[in-house]
Amino acid sequence: MLHGKRILLIVAGGIAAFKSLDLIRRLRERGASVRCVLTEAGAKFVTPLSLQALTEDRVYSDMFSLTDESEMGHIQLSRDADLLVVAPATANLLARMAGGLADDLAATVLLATDKPVLAAPAMNVRMWTHAATVANVETLKKRGVTFVGPNDGAMACNEFGPGRMSEPLEIVAAIEAMLVRDRPLAGRRALVTSGPTREALDPVRFISNHSSGKQGHAIAAALAELGADVTLVSGPVAVPDPTGVKVVRVESADQMLAASLEAGALDIAVCAAAVADWKAARPATGKIKKQAGAPPPALELAPNPDILATLSKAGPRRPALVVGFAAETENVVANAVDKRTRKGCDWIVANDVSPATGTFGGERNTVHLITEAGVEDWPPLGKGDVAMRLAGRIALHLAQAGKKQAAE
Ligand code: C5P
């Protein structure tokens, strides 16, 4: 979806520079060409050779190199790009940008450019919250620099807080939002449920499962990237909030259902959450006490509401396209085909979650898409790519459904 777009990626010196390698791969997968400027400090974290191999282009670092200047002057580097992306944007480079310095090739290109600039900051939490950085970011925003992130999270320096560079897919989403006018899901409203639910047994104990929320969150990000107005209803997860998405945090299945129904009139619902099937029939109001010699308490369970089935059978309020997930450990496709009918949804994304597959909590997923037309076996893909592919299919389906309706 970035076909023909030219990105000039400026890689400064931060540990997050390793994520820029994945960013290049993802941009190229989407058809963009990427050219890199690497700062001297950046070269301490990633090698010019890695960038060169991934971009299939040479890497520019030296302002005073005769070959760099004769083959590609710093003005030409900016002229040849549609967008400049600074990732990672370190506190030092942001300060140099804000101060208008031109003391290396990266800073000079950034000073000389008239192209849009996107910065993905990455630094220690105290550097990010320091008054100097806050003022620099403010200045740069006023001058039209767009920022993506940083996210909250654990950092390489063993601290926690804002300062983690956005994930490559979040940066891609920000780039597409800046460059892609053609957003096929613009004007569509989508709901995505994601993560596990937590069912309280008493105020300190709960029943839950291993869902990480990675797949559901990636789907919310992908739908937003294609222009949809997305509400993400998420159980407790550690993954960061996707950018450009309204996030509603819940704990239990009852809360997830209420929040999903509150999302209002929808075109698309993707139920990717691993909702607990059962909750405690009567959760204790105080902590259940151990009593010496007494048998363990019996756990009486009650069924949870089925969010997917409720949305699928919502009558006139039913979203135009309802997509469910089927996490199975055996007979994956047969069970999923059956589930599609039982739940009344339009599509099922089926995946094998046997421990050996590493799907739960992992980065990759092998899925089968079950639609009214049959079963598609998708190749093993990263969860972000499964999400992009699914979002693309959803956009195509709604466009075709719209055309069919217009013809009738
Ligand atoms: O019945 P099962 O849990 O296997 O169905 C999985 C699908 O149904 C997923 O899309 C999941 O998000 C959804 N689901 C739900 N509410 C439940 C149980 C499952 O939305 N209580």
Side-chain angles (χ1 to χ4, degrees):
M1 261 147 286
L2 283 170
H3 279 290
K5 301 291 182 201
R6 299 161 308 168
I7 311 289
L8 183 65
L9 176 64
I10 296 171
V11 180
I15 185 80
F18 77 92
K19 289 197 211 169
S20 304
L21 300 176
D22 189 37
L23 174 63
I24 296 171
R25 193 175 63 81
R26 294 189 182 273
L27 288 169
R28 297 209 59 206
E29 271 170 8
R30 286 163 175 75
S33 64
V34 184
R35 177 167 276 161
C36 283
V37 170
L38 182 62
T39 67
E40 197 181 333
K44 307 260 189 261
F45 294 91
V46 289
T47 68
L49 211 57
S50 320
L51 296 176
Q52 195 174 306
L54 286 165
T55 57
E56 294 184 89
D57 195 350
R58 50 159 310 189
V59 173
Y60 296 83
S61 329
D62 190 352
M63 192 156 55
F64 301 107
S65 141
L66 280 179
T67 46
D68 279 16
E69 273 298 313
S70 62
E71 283 171 16
M72 178 66 64
H74 56 272
I75 303 291
Q76 196 61 32
L77 278 171
S78 140
R79 222 176 253 157
D80 278 358
D82 298 304
L83 175 72
L84 272 59
V85 178
V86 190
T90 55
N92 179 46
L93 184 51
L94 290 175
R96 290 191 289 135
M97 287 165 72
L101 297 193
D103 53 352
D104 70 356
L105 183 61
T108 307
V109 171
L110 284 159
L111 190 64
T113 192
D114 56 355
K115 298 294 169 63
V117 177
L118 174 70
M123 64 197 72
N124 165 276
V125 53
R126 271 186 303 283
M127 289 168 86
W128 175 248
T129 50
H130 193 285
T133 309
V134 172
N136 289 335
V137 169
E138 209 45 49
T139 303
L140 291 168
K141 280 186 179 165
K142 272 198 205 116
R143 288 188 201 141
V145 173
T146 304
F147 281 81
V148 53
N151 291 330
D152 271 12
M155 279 178 281
C157 49
N158 283 332
E159 293 193 46
F160 193 90
R164 256 173 87 99
M165 188 168 91
S166 294
E167 295 306 313
L169 277 179
E170 296 176 273
I171 301 175
V172 169
I175 291 172
E176 292 198 324
M178 291 175 80
L179 287 181
V180 181
R181 305 271 171 266
D182 176 27
R183 288 155 50 88
L185 289 177
R188 305 279 192 180
R189 299 201 59 241
L191 164 78
V192 179
T193 69
S194 181
T197 64
R198 260 184 202 174
E199 310 299 333
L201 301 180
D202 68 15
V204 297
R205 303 182 179 95
F206 55 80
I207 308 173
S208 192
N209 59 66
H210 285 301
S211 168
S212 64
K214 281 182 186 161
Q215 186 63 80
H217 278 52
I219 292 167
L223 291 169
E225 196 177 327
L226 297 192
D229 174 1
V230 182
T231 301
L232 171 65
V233 179
S234 173
V237 294
V239 287
D241 289 353
T243 35
V245 163
K246 180 183 172 208
V247 183
V248 183
R249 279 189 198 77
V250 296
E251 297 241 327
S252 67
D254 285 316
Q255 291 168 354
M256 188 172 271
L257 175 65
S260 300
L261 294 176
E262 232 167 69
L266 297 165
D267 300 289
I268 305 153
V270 180
C271 295
V275 184
D277 289 316
W278 303 283
K279 61 186 166 190
R282 277 172 294 281
T285 47
K287 184 182 171 194
I288 304 167
K289 288 279 185 209
K290 251 185 313 198
Q291 276 161 9
L299 202 57
E300 196 191 332
L301 297 176
N304 259 329
D306 191 316
I307 301 160
L308 175 63
T310 309
L311 291 171
S312 297
K313 293 168 189 161
R317 293 192 58 202
R318 185 190 195 278
L321 185 70
V322 183
V323 183
F325 270 69
E328 303 284 350
T329 51
E330 51 203 25
N331 298 330
V332 177
V333 171
N335 284 336
V337 169
D338 182 48
K339 191 164 292 175
R340 179 175 167 268
T341 327
R342 215 162 7 91
K343 302 254 186 178
C345 59
D346 300 292
W347 295 356
I348 287 269
V349 180
N351 55 358
D352 188 342
V353 293
S354 326
T357 63
T359 300
F360 260 143
E363 299 302 329
R364 294 178 79 75
N365 208 350
T366 306
V367 310
H368 313 269
L369 179 68
I370 290 128
T371 71
E372 64 289 355
V375 180
E376 292 173 23
D377 301 317
W378 290 7
L381 295 167
K383 288 185 176 174
D385 297 320
V386 168
M388 274 313 297
R389 200 161 160 160
L390 183 66
R393 284 297 305 271
I394 290 174
L396 191 66
H397 174 84
L398 292 179
Q400 285 171 344
K403 266 194 203 136
K404 225 163 108 189
Q405 229 171 27
E408 277 164 12

